[in-house]
Amino acid sequence: MGLLRDLEDRLEKIVEGFFSRAFQAKIQPIEIAKALGAKLEDSRLIGPNHIYVPNQFVVKLSPPDFDEILPYQKAILPEFETYLRNIAEREGYTFLGPLKIVFERSAEVKPGRMEISASIEEGKPEDKAKIEKTQAITIAEARQSDLAFSPAYLINLENGEKGYLSMGLTRIGRSRSNDIVINHPSVSRFHAEAEYHQGRIYLRDLDSTNGTQVNGKLIKEKRLNDGDVVIFGGVKFEFREVARD
């Protein structure tokens, strides 16, 4: 898991460091990387033995954003691909062909926005048999079939939004590069992380400024139980196990 964190941190440093000086578009590369990761997760195909994810991505940008990012494509596309490969490796996902990301210029997309499409393209003819055995299902359907990738989730008690925890390590904080993003000033950029281990979720505070609480007590690390109330800075969540939901 440390390798993935290093890669994500390096991506963020590149786009927030060098590119922040030269890149003036309304949408930043780190936002595109995060959206690509979300699209990969949302487009999973769950089969009896593997979970397949898209390997072909098209990112549509407004004309000014596209023109701004064009000179930097060779530098940032490999970072995006590495980011997606590490998500797949961490979660145990399978690509059926080479990974490819392309940018397209679209007058229908507003500045500061993007549209991402994703597809699975088999690399070899023999891979067709694998994909034919899969079916796209929702998280709710996956829970019922015991194929869900997420063992639990955090639900924001203010707005009802859910942040699903992975079978590996889930990063939580204000930075857009986190797996669960909490856009609140009381939350640190990299506030906490939740780790799945032997069927349980362990929550770890990452030396955040305002701390992490579980059931009203500040914690450094704690195993979570269904129904626990977790507060990151000043934002309150409830921890729920999928099996009991």
Side-chain angles (χ1 to χ4, degrees):
M1 301 306 172
L3 178 60
L4 180 59
R5 285 201 300 269
D6 290 344
L7 288 170
E8 289 178 329
D9 291 343
R10 186 170 71 248
L11 175 62
E12 185 169 70
K13 288 178 182 177
I14 289 175
V15 298
E16 289 186 353
F18 173 77
F19 289 113
S20 65
R21 295 192 295 271
F23 193 86
Q24 300 300 319
K26 290 186 177 181
I27 190 167
Q28 295 296 312
I30 190 66
E31 297 177 86
I32 299 174
K34 188 66 179 178
L36 284 167
K39 190 67 175 180
L40 181 141
E41 294 276 10
D42 291 343
S43 305
R44 291 166 298 130
L45 293 173
I46 303 179
N49 299 310
H50 300 281
I51 300 177
Y52 301 101
V53 288
N55 58 304
Q56 303 285 303
F57 295 84
V58 176
V59 182
K60 293 183 179 181
L61 299 172
S62 68
D65 286 339
F66 177 86
D67 293 342
E68 188 70 38
I69 205 171
L70 185 63
Y72 308 115
Q73 286 192 42
K74 289 184 179 180
I76 61 178
L77 284 176
E79 294 291 345
F80 290 170
E81 292 173 3
T82 298
Y83 178 69
L84 294 181
R85 286 194 184 95
N86 277 279
I87 291 176
E89 181 179 353
R90 182 185 69 185
E91 304 296 345
Y93 298 154
T94 299
F95 292 114
L96 288 182
L99 183 59
K100 183 179 181 181
I101 304 169
V102 298
F103 291 112
E104 285 189 2
R105 195 173 191 268
S106 175
E108 297 180 357
V109 179
K110 296 180 179 180
R113 300 294 182 90
M114 72 187 101
E115 291 182 6
I116 298 179
S117 59
S119 61
I120 294 176
E121 303 290 341
E122 297 98 336
K124 299 177 182 179
E126 53 265 31
D127 290 326
K128 291 183 178 180
K130 295 180 181 179
I131 195 63
E132 288 172 355
K133 294 179 181 179
T134 68
Q135 58 177 337
I137 65 177
T138 65
I139 289 175
E141 292 169 333
R143 292 176 193 162
Q144 296 174 1
S145 62
D146 200 29
L147 292 172
F149 81 104
S150 178
Y153 61 87
L154 292 164
I155 182 167
N156 189 316
L157 295 180
E158 294 182 4
N159 57 29
E161 292 183 357
K162 296 178 181 179
Y164 286 89
L165 306 177
S166 75
M167 294 290 283
L169 194 71
T170 304
R171 300 176 67 196
I172 304 164
R174 197 178 72 251
S175 170
R176 291 180 180 272
S177 66
N178 286 292
D179 301 298
I180 297 178
V181 178
I182 307 174
N183 187 18
H184 193 278
S186 69
V187 177
S188 297
R189 293 177 69 250
F190 301 102
H191 196 103
E193 61 186 18
E195 184 172 11
Y196 179 85
H197 180 66
Q198 296 182 348
R200 307 296 298 186
I201 297 290
Y202 294 83
L203 183 65
R204 187 178 302 114
D205 183 79
L206 299 178
D207 296 322
S208 63
T209 301
N210 295 311
T212 300
Q213 298 181 46
V214 176
N215 298 328
K217 296 182 179 180
L218 287 171
I219 61 102
K220 283 296 183 181
E221 182 172 344
K222 183 174 177 57
R223 191 184 79 180
L224 296 179
N225 295 302
D226 188 59
D228 282 347
V229 175
V230 182
I231 302 177
F232 301 102
V235 185
K236 185 180 295 186
F237 289 78
E238 183 175 323
F239 172 75
R240 296 183 184 175
E241 294 177 343
V242 168
R244 300 183 187 181
D245 191 36

